[in-house]
DNA sequence: CGGCTTTGACCCGCGC
DNA sequence: GCGCGGGTCAAAGCCG
């Protein structure tokens, strides 16, 4: 046995075998085949485990959604005005939903593009700041009837040029969740991309998993968001599963 | 000193 | 018409 180190290319480029035709001993090939089978088994186990975790996460999300919708219904029957009910429903089924039309009950105010964003914060963080890359000026704060946490009112710093307003209030059910409601569209570029707390994720990007691993090590909030993104992508994006498999196999080897 | 936050007062729509 | 409650204003205070 001379040089025991050899290169495995997993047959990704069959042309290489034609170029390098030096004979490989059968024992070595058998050994390698056996090792690859083991690795394949390990990979299958990892994927099964990942799939199980995803399923349990999805079940959990569905349970939460059901809980929320039941609660909303109760609230609407008891105390909430129609307007407030409509506003809260924006956040029930997703973390980010665009609503094209404002409440018809307010004809005075022609508002378009109302959107709601739920942001998970650390429980110790008591501020009402949702970093989204724009600069905001707080112009009011109010304690509302249905929520003990005060609602903060913000205007874009570019006002009056920029008509965008933002309302931020903690969720009644989970005070670590900040619910930000945006009204209108910015008519200017984003002043600072660096301050964005919630990152946008391109799950079709092959380098996504590497970025994901880095993020896990640096930011727990981002970690939670990215896990949600992954769970969502597993169901919505067929190529994402392949990307995950590739990345995992990369880690294993 | 300028910009931002705080906070009480005021406005206005909605339901009764 | 009245009261309630959400949204906004604006003066005062704070901070870099």
């Amino acid at each position: 046995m001379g040089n025991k180190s050899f290169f495995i290319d997993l047959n990704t480029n069959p042309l290489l075998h034609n170029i390098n035709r030096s004979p490989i001993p059968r024992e070595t090939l058998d050994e390698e085949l056996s090792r690859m089978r083991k690795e394949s088994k390990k990979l299958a186990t990892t994927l099964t485990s990942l799939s199980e975790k995803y399923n349990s996460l999805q079940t959990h999300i569905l349970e939460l959604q059901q809980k929320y919708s039941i609660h909303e219904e109760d609230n609407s029957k008891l105390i909430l005005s129609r307007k407030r009910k409509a506003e809260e429903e924006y956040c029930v089924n997703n973390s980010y939903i665009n609503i094209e039309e404002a409440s018809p009950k307010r004809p005075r105010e022609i508002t378009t593009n109302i959107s709601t964003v739920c942001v998970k914060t650390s429980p110790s963080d008591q501020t009402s700041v949702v970093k989204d890359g724009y600069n905001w000026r707080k112009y009011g704060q109010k304690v509302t009837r249905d929520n003990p946490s005060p609602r903060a009112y913000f205007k874009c710093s570019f006002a009056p040029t920029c008509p965008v307003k933002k309302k931020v209030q903690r969720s009644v059910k989970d005070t670590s969740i900040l619910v930000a409601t945006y009204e209108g569209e910015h008519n200017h570029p984003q002043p600072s991309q660096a301050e964005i707390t919630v990152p946008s994720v391109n799950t079709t990007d092959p380098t996504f998993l590497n970025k994901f691993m880095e993020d896990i090590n640096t930011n727990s909030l981002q970690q939670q968001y990215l896990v949600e993104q992954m769970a969502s992508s597993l169901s919505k994006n067929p190529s994402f599963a392949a990307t995950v498999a590739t990345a995992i196999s990369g880690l294993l080897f």
Side-chain angles (χ1 to χ4, degrees):
Chain A
M1 301 283 261
N3 185 8
K4 287 197 177 178
S5 67
F6 49 83
F7 173 72
I8 305 162
D9 68 6
L10 293 176
N11 205 25
T12 51
N13 189 355
L15 289 173
L16 285 176
H17 297 288
N18 296 330
I19 296 165
N20 186 6
R21 284 175 180 274
S22 58
I24 302 167
R26 189 195 164 95
E27 297 82 30
T28 311
L29 283 173
D30 285 345
E31 198 179 305
E32 188 52 32
L33 188 63
S34 152
R35 199 181 70 82
M36 283 176 73
R37 277 185 184 143
K38 278 180 193 169
E39 296 291 358
S40 170
K41 214 172 185 179
K42 213 188 275 182
L43 179 59
T45 314
T46 310
L47 277 174
T48 308
S49 157
L50 192 68
S51 173
E52 277 169 7
K53 279 176 188 170
Y54 164 63
N55 284 335
S56 101
L57 188 65
Q58 196 169 40
T59 310
H60 186 60
I61 289 168
L62 282 172
E63 281 171 10
L64 283 175
Q65 282 179 355
Q66 279 168 4
K67 263 190 208 170
Y68 271 86
S69 50
I70 288 166
H71 200 90
E72 291 298 318
E73 234 169 77
D74 290 344
N75 275 355
S76 69
K77 282 173 189 169
L78 290 171
I79 51 170
L80 288 177
S81 70
R82 269 174 238 156
K83 192 184 97 186
R84 261 178 285 141
K85 184 195 160 202
E87 274 181 5
E88 293 203 349
E89 277 174 351
Y90 299 159
C91 226
V92 173
N93 293 323
N94 216 326
S95 59
Y96 182 91
I97 302 167
N98 268 320
I99 305 296
E100 290 296 328
E101 197 185 349
S103 168
K105 293 282 172 188
R106 301 203 56 169
R108 191 172 64 106
E109 205 178 294
I110 304 162
T111 43
T112 53
N113 283 337
I114 296 177
S115 63
T116 301
V117 178
C118 300
V119 179
K120 182 93 175 170
T121 63
S122 64
S124 56
D125 185 9
Q126 292 302 307
T127 60
S128 301
V129 179
V130 176
K131 285 179 183 175
D132 49 20
Y134 290 95
N135 296 324
W136 300 93
R137 186 175 56 82
K138 191 175 180 179
Y139 68 90
Q141 183 169 306
K142 196 89 180 176
V143 176
T144 55
R145 236 186 73 186
D146 54 307
N147 192 336
S149 308
R151 177 182 294 171
Y153 300 89
F154 297 89
K155 277 177 185 170
C156 181
S157 308
F158 282 77
T161 320
C162 179
V164 182
K165 288 177 192 172
K166 176 170 85 166
K167 286 181 275 184
V168 179
Q169 190 170 30
R170 294 191 173 273
S171 167
V172 192
K173 290 106 188 176
D174 185 352
T175 52
S176 64
I177 293 173
L178 279 174
V179 182
T181 308
Y182 295 85
E183 289 181 22
E185 275 181 58
H186 292 280
N187 55 13
H188 57 89
Q190 199 168 351
S192 167
Q193 290 283 349
E195 283 188 12
I196 301 173
T197 304
V198 181
S200 65
V201 175
N202 177 12
T203 52
T204 58
D205 182 359
T207 61
F208 164 70
L209 254 291
N210 292 333
K211 289 174 194 166
F212 174 69
M213 294 302 176
E214 283 169 21
D215 284 334
I216 281 176
N217 293 329
T218 53
N219 191 324
S220 62
L221 282 176
Q222 287 187 0
Q223 178 187 348
Q224 179 169 350
Y225 179 76
L226 287 164
V227 167
E228 286 166 11
Q229 281 282 337
M230 285 180 76
S232 157
S233 297
L234 274 169
S235 59
K236 289 175 187 169
N237 183 358
S239 69
F240 183 67
T243 309
V244 170
T246 310
I248 290 172
S249 63
L251 290 172
L252 288 174
F253 289 117

